[in-house]
Amino acid sequence: MTGVRMTLDELRTLARAKLLGAGLAPAHAEAVAETMVAGERDGCTSHGIYRLLVAVSSIAKGVVVPDAKPVLSEPARALVRVDGGGGFAQLAFQTGKSMLIDKAKANGIAALALNNVVHFAALWPEVEELAEAGLVALAFTPSHAWVAPSGGAEPVFGTNPIAFGWPRPDGPPFVFDFATSMVARGEIELHRRAGKSVPDDWGVDAEGRPTTDPAAILSGAMRTFGGHKGSALAAMVELLAGPLIGDMTSRESIAWDAGRGGSPLGGELIVAIDPRGFLGDLLPEHQARAEAMFDAITGQGARLPSARRYAARRISLAQGVEISSDLYRDVTALDG
């Protein structure tokens, strides 16, 4: 790859400057930039600095409330709610994170509902933070209706990611994050920008026909992974992070967008579980059993989810990251 080499601090400074230049309030700019830097740092380029273009576009289109002040509340003893006021989800999560951790450790299990927030990023940074605090974490969020159910061709679901974090006694947590669609929408967009075709099982065109043209998929419908299994998981995410917490489904989100082409507005549900709450003094014994399972996976040469990200992180912390010349040009051309 040819491009522009940058340290993570340089990337962070660039992202913050462009977000502030777009009119985002400082607290939001800091939280949003950190998510983008984390994506680039860990080799997740479709969730990296490319998302700066997405975020700035959503701000310009009036989809995001740039100075929204998240409001924290406690619906019940083990529940936390943050009304994001139409701002990006990152600051809303940071607003509720400490209370979620405290409630999970006090009650054994707790949940955080983020309402009325704009989503554009992956969920793994959030569950990783919670796992680093010693908690098992699950996160769910819908998006815009871009994905057809198995057997159909009309979008109903969002890409509807699921993320999971598991704390480990030595080393970084076990974390995975995947869309219930065949691939993240940003990955299709990156292929479109690069003029590359995509596999014909990623989506269909506007007439419901399989296609390798990323632009045709973006104007048609994406597919769920694993056929009916991914479709069922996508429906589960819609219910958990939509009606259950009083927020929008992906169909409602894209209808609210009204053709502006902004990032999805809706909710997110995060569940945090304290293993010590279940296990008490037996925690080390059962942690060791979990580690035995991880060893059985890696011992035969298989890779744990998140291992690739952690390997990329070690390199980028030491050497920085390389941004493609085209993307660097587009990012630096943003106001700010």
Side-chain angles (χ1 to χ4, degrees), residues 192-262:
R192 185 198 65 78
R193 286 174 56 88
K196 296 179 180 178
S197 62
V198 301
D200 64 4
D201 60 353
W202 281 15
V204 296
D205 64 19
E207 283 71 48
R209 299 171 300 201
T211 178
T212 61
D213 180 358
I217 294 174
L218 292 173
S219 61
M222 300 167 64
R223 291 190 185 276
T224 57
F225 85 91
H228 69 281
K229 295 180 181 180
S231 194
L233 288 172
M236 178 190 74
V237 173
E238 293 283 338
L239 296 171
L240 289 175
L244 179 64
I245 63 171
D247 223 309
M248 288 196 283
T249 64
S250 296
R251 294 181 71 209
E252 291 166 337
S253 175
I254 204 165
W256 171 86
D257 183 75
R260 288 175 290 179

Side-chain angles (χ1 to χ4, degrees), residues 54-55 58 63-64 88 118-120 144 146 253 256-257 261-265:
V54 176
S58 289
V63 171
V64 181
F88 284 120
V118 175
H119 276 281
F120 70 87
H144 280 333
W146 290 316
S253 175
W256 171 86
D257 183 75
S263 294
L265 176 74

Side-chain angles (χ1 to χ4, degrees), residues 6 10-11 13-19 36 40 48-54 56 193 323-336:
M6 303 181 73
E10 289 171 338
L11 197 65
T13 298
L14 174 63
R16 286 177 179 172
K18 295 303 181 181
L19 291 166
M36 296 173 181
E40 204 69 47
I49 206 66
Y50 156 72
R51 297 285 172 151
L52 190 55
L53 303 176
V54 176
V56 169
R193 286 174 56 88
I323 309 301
S324 74
S325 298
D326 288 347
L327 180 57
Y328 183 79
R329 179 199 62 216
D330 291 347
V331 166
T332 53
L334 296 169
D335 292 336

Side-chain angles (χ1 to χ4, degrees), residues 13-311:
T13 298
L14 174 63
R16 286 177 179 172
K18 295 303 181 181
L19 291 166
L20 290 170
L24 202 60
H28 280 284
E30 182 174 348
V32 169
E34 211 55 45
T35 294
M36 296 173 181
V37 171
E40 204 69 47
R41 176 200 66 199
D42 286 9
C44 303
T45 54
S46 66
H47 288 285
I49 206 66
Y50 156 72
R51 297 285 172 151
L52 190 55
L53 303 176
V54 176
V56 169
S57 174
S58 289
I59 296 167
K61 291 171 179 174
V63 171
V64 181
V65 178
D67 59 350
K69 294 179 172 55
V71 177
L72 181 69
S73 63
E74 301 178 68
R77 186 174 67 179
L79 300 180
V80 185
R81 184 188 297 276
V82 178
D83 186 330
F88 284 120
Q90 284 75 16
L91 186 59
F93 170 71
Q94 294 300 330
T95 299
K97 180 180 74 172
S98 293
M99 184 179 286
L100 174 65
I101 291 171
D102 290 345
K103 284 182 177 291
K105 291 188 174 180
N107 300 298
I109 186 169
L112 166 62
L114 305 181
N115 288 109
N116 194 19
V117 291
V118 175
H119 276 281
F120 70 87
L123 297 177
W124 60 258
E126 298 173 6
V127 296
E128 185 175 317
E129 287 187 43
L130 296 173
E132 286 174 342
L135 302 175
V136 175
L138 286 150
F140 313 89
T141 187
S143 54
H144 280 333
W146 290 316
V147 182
S150 178
E154 180 182 341
V156 174
F157 305 135
T159 53
N160 291 14
I162 297 170
F164 175 77
W166 177 275
R168 301 185 68 182
D170 299 305
F174 169 72
V175 172
F176 69 74
D177 177 341
F178 58 77
T180 53
S181 54
M182 280 292 293
V183 68
R185 191 168 180 84
E187 189 68 28
I188 299 176
E189 175 60 23
L190 287 178
H191 277 73
R192 185 198 65 78
R193 286 174 56 88
K196 296 179 180 178
S197 62
V198 301
D200 64 4
D201 60 353
W202 281 15
V204 296
D205 64 19
E207 283 71 48
R209 299 171 300 201
T211 178
T212 61
D213 180 358
I217 294 174
L218 292 173
S219 61
M222 300 167 64
R223 291 190 185 276
T224 57
F225 85 91
H228 69 281
K229 295 180 181 180
S231 194
L233 288 172
M236 178 190 74
V237 173
E238 293 283 338
L239 296 171
L240 289 175
L244 179 64
I245 63 171
D247 223 309
M248 288 196 283
T249 64
S250 296
R251 294 181 71 209
E252 291 166 337
S253 175
I254 204 165
W256 171 86
D257 183 75
R260 288 175 290 179
S263 294
L265 176 74
E268 178 181 343
L269 177 67
I270 303 168
V271 178
I273 304 167
D274 181 14
R276 190 171 293 279
F278 280 107
L279 299 169
D281 293 340
L282 295 177
L283 176 59
E285 174 187 339
H286 293 291
Q287 277 183 323
R289 296 175 59 242
E291 291 301 307
M293 183 197 73
F294 293 136
D295 290 342
I297 295 169
T298 58
Q300 59 183 293
R303 177 177 62 83
L304 285 176
S306 68
R308 183 193 59 80
R309 288 195 301 100
Y310 292 140

